[in-house]
Amino acid sequence: MKRFIVSGRRALSARASPLPHRPFATAAQPDESLASLLPKMPPFDYSPPPYTGPSAAEVLQKRQRYLSPAIFHFFKNPLNLVDGKMQYLFDENGRRYLDAFGGIATVCCGHCHPEVVEAIVNQTKRLQHSTVLYLNHTVADFAEALASKMPGDLKVVYFTNSGTEANELALLMARLYTGCHDVISIRNGYHGNAAATMNATAQSNYKFNVVQAGIHHSLNPDQYRGLFGSDGPKYARDVDEIITYGTTGCVAAFIAEAIQGVGGIMELAPGYLPAVYSSIRRAGGLCIADEVQSGFGRTGSHFWGFEAHGVVPDIVTMAKGIGNGIPLGAVVTTPDIAKVLTNRTYFNTFGGNPVCTAGGLAVLKVLEKEKLQQNALTVGSYLKERLVSLMEKHEIIGDVRGRGLMLGVELVTDRKAKTPAKVEIAHLMEQMKEMGVLIGKGGFFGNVFRITPPLCFTKDDADFLVDVMDYNMSKL
Ligand code: PMP
């Protein structure tokens, strides 16, 4: 059997291999010696309790009948996931999968992290109530802890139940504070699924054509496909033009992710955010950083994604990993801006309730105790290096990007033309799942692997992921 060296490691080459492609580690694996050559999932000392609930087919049938017809699922035969532990998930048969995607959607420090679970359960046993009306120290403690993670005068927290709500509130505050209406967001960004946020979400894939006036979409500072390569200030000129020619000159806000998540792990070109922030502030507007995906140490080098760009926003929004999967979001801003909501009654019944904030506080403690930001940097850099070296072997990889444990691999059928490899990526995703790796996908054309695992991901997990990707790309 011929083997290739990948990034200093010996990796299996399936192209040179006579192996038939079979699912990894399934019960029906007739030839043990051949199976032993396939990439191996790192050992993990945990077995979930037996599952006695309905089968995948039964759940799917019920879901199709009673849940929104807009809801979608990954994989032709969707997985029925019934247990989770740290960076692993288990299906109804107890089969283990490496979760290389759920880190953003739900968990930042690991599925069912015992300390987070304990904090949530203890608070639930003691008291669950609304956030407003009465005092409860848990809510205030988490707000204080969150504010301590912020630069400058970003010290006041409004809690919400989701990222959408956080961004809606941020836009409302900016409009009230500035007295202006116009908002600028970037094409290919994602900010939520309610009225203003859906319109700020410029990607037509995600928005319905229900027009909200006054939302403008600027050129994406896309370092892979963009007109100006990595020259951030050049893309920023488009924002100047929008301010001059597209608005009355009065701008409420600019909103952006430092690394576009849904948009395919697109790190904004360097120099873009500082230039845009200056223009927006000159026009009297506020700068909003959407940290729903890139916050909480995920990028490794910094706690917040915007910090890598050397800017300090006026408003920061967050959700998802903030509570390790519990419904929670937040808007953090300055005391001055925060005051704009005091001239009317504003409240959010459950945003930041005691149970959710107990979970949020536990997440911050775990991040610190287990040095998960440092882990994101170490393991993320290693994983990125291995993915970059895969490019030498597989023409289909057009780009590897991102930082920390927020990485993207863009697949193209022609590197020069950058033709999106849409069919291939769907096939690879299925094959990788068969071998025990769950990976995400996104980007404008849906041809980018999104790798955003829980932050407890290890180097062995990274090796397994890359070996499985390598093996299946070799078989294309
Ligand atoms: N902002 C960003 C950057 C997101 O990725 C998302 C969700 N994908 C949202 C906002 C909206 O969050 P939610 O789904 O919790 O409303």
Side-chain angles (χ1 to χ4, degrees):
M1 164 122 7
K2 194 171 166 193
R3 282 167 179 264
F4 289 90
I5 304 295
V6 175
S7 191
R9 295 185 76 258
R10 290 166 73 84
L12 195 74
S13 165
R15 191 175 288 146
S17 157
L19 280 178
H21 181 58
R22 290 195 204 97
F24 174 63
T26 54
Q29 192 72 260
D31 191 333
E32 286 296 318
S33 63
L34 290 183
S36 71
L37 293 168
L38 293 172
K40 291 246 175 329
M41 178 133 36
F44 188 63
D45 190 17
Y46 173 77
S47 304
Y51 174 70
T52 52
S55 68
E58 288 166 310
V59 177
L60 182 62
Q61 199 186 32
K62 202 179 271 191
R63 177 166 147 140
Q64 283 168 340
R65 187 144 185 212
Y66 294 110
L67 278 166
S68 136
I71 202 169
F72 61 91
H73 52 72
F74 273 168
F75 309 121
K76 278 185 213 125
N77 297 314
L79 284 175
N80 185 21
L81 294 174
V82 298
D83 286 282
K85 194 83 181 160
M86 305 314 282
Q87 68 273 43
Y88 295 107
L89 291 164
F90 299 83
D91 71 9
E92 58 190 348
N93 303 312
R95 186 177 173 196
R96 180 159 60 103
Y97 295 86
L98 177 64
D99 183 7
F101 188 47
I104 276 186
T106 56
V107 288
C108 104
C109 42
H111 290 283
C112 306
H113 191 291
E115 285 166 42
V116 181
V117 171
E118 193 186 358
I120 292 168
V121 170
N122 286 347
Q123 185 59 46
T124 310
K125 283 183 181 162
R126 199 86 208 247
L127 175 75
Q128 167 66 324
H129 208 300
S130 151
T131 312
V132 283
L133 304 180
Y134 310 109
L135 301 184
N136 187 285
H137 76 89
T138 318
V139 186
D141 289 347
F142 184 46
E144 181 188 34
L146 211 46
S148 77
K149 294 300 224 180
M150 285 290 165
D153 204 20
L154 292 163
K155 294 292 170 232
V156 182
V157 183
Y158 276 92
F159 285 118
T160 65
N161 301 286
S162 70
T164 297
E165 264 189 31
N167 283 333
E168 290 283 334
L169 179 60
L171 293 174
L172 174 70
M173 285 166 109
R175 283 171 165 162
L176 292 173
Y177 184 78
T178 59
C180 303
H181 184 73
D182 290 71
V183 168
I184 302 175
S185 64
I186 305 178
R187 283 186 203 150
N188 202 50
Y190 185 94
H191 300 292
N193 62 8
T197 43
M198 186 177 284
N199 279 272
T201 296
Q203 256 206 50
S204 50
N205 302 359
Y206 299 103
K207 65 187 274 236
F208 294 97
N209 193 22
V210 178
V211 178
Q212 260 231 345
I215 298 196
H216 311 266
H217 301 141
S218 62
L219 211 56
N220 189 22
D222 171 348
Q223 301 185 66
Y224 181 59
R225 290 174 185 273
L227 276 179
F228 306 123
S230 294
D231 190 340
K234 272 198 185 152
Y235 295 100
R237 284 186 211 150
D238 189 46
V239 173
D240 292 326
E241 284 177 16
I242 291 174
I243 294 170
T244 310
Y245 303 111
T247 72
T248 53
C250 179
V251 174
F254 167 79
I255 182 167
E257 306 152 85
I259 303 179
Q260 292 164 349
V262 175
I265 318 293
M266 276 288 174
E267 192 165 18
L268 307 185
Y272 175 79
L273 278 186
V276 170
Y277 273 34
S278 309
S279 300
I280 294 294
R281 283 173 176 153
R282 265 199 310 276
L286 300 184
C287 300
I288 304 171
D290 180 337
E291 291 287 337
V292 168
Q293 294 210 16
S294 54
F296 293 90
R298 173 157 299 279
T299 60
S301 56
H302 300 85
F303 197 80
W304 305 108
F306 63 78
E307 290 174 300
H309 295 263
V311 294
V312 178
D314 303 297
I315 303 179
V316 181
T317 59
M318 57 201 78
K320 297 200 186 218
I322 186 175
N324 216 41
I326 203 153
L328 182 61
V331 177
V332 186
T333 188
T334 66
D336 187 34
I337 297 170
K339 268 199 288 212
V340 292
L341 292 184
T342 56
N343 59 6
R344 289 281 187 281
T345 303
Y346 173 85
F347 66 92
N348 187 319
T349 305
F350 281 119
N353 60 67
V355 167
C356 290
T357 42
L361 194 55
V363 167
L364 281 184
K365 286 184 185 159
V366 169
L367 283 174
E368 206 144 297
K369 188 168 137 196
E370 298 182 4
K371 300 187 173 46
L372 292 180
Q373 183 184 330
Q374 180 58 45
N375 190 61
L377 180 64
T378 315
V379 176
S381 306
Y382 174 76
L383 175 56
K384 189 171 179 184
E385 237 173 66
R386 284 218 57 202
L387 291 167
V388 167
S389 51
L390 263 198
M391 286 182 84
E392 288 164 26
K393 192 170 163 191
H394 301 294
E395 275 288 308
I396 195 166
I397 303 180
D399 193 27
V400 173
R401 55 184 179 246
R403 45 169 84 211
L405 285 171
M406 189 165 182
L407 299 175
V409 179
E410 176 148 2
L411 303 192
V412 291
T413 51
D414 178 335
R415 277 193 183 171
K416 240 187 171 161
K418 298 181 179 168
T419 318
K422 290 198 255 187
V423 177
E424 293 78 358
I425 201 168
H427 173 76
L428 283 167
M429 238 176 117
E430 292 277 349
Q431 298 306 313
M432 288 178 72
K433 173 208 119 188
E434 290 299 320
M435 292 178 75
V437 176
L438 304 182
I439 195 165
K441 127 176 136 65
F444 187 80
F445 303 105
N447 65 325
V448 184
F449 275 135
R450 292 163 66 196
I451 306 174
T452 55
L455 300 184
C456 54
F457 213 63
T458 66
K459 276 191 176 176
D460 287 344
D461 295 325
D463 281 332
F464 178 59
L465 183 156
V466 178
D467 290 345
V468 167
M469 189 182 282
D470 181 19
Y471 175 77
N472 285 294
M473 282 182 173
S474 298
K475 288 198 76 80
L476 276 175

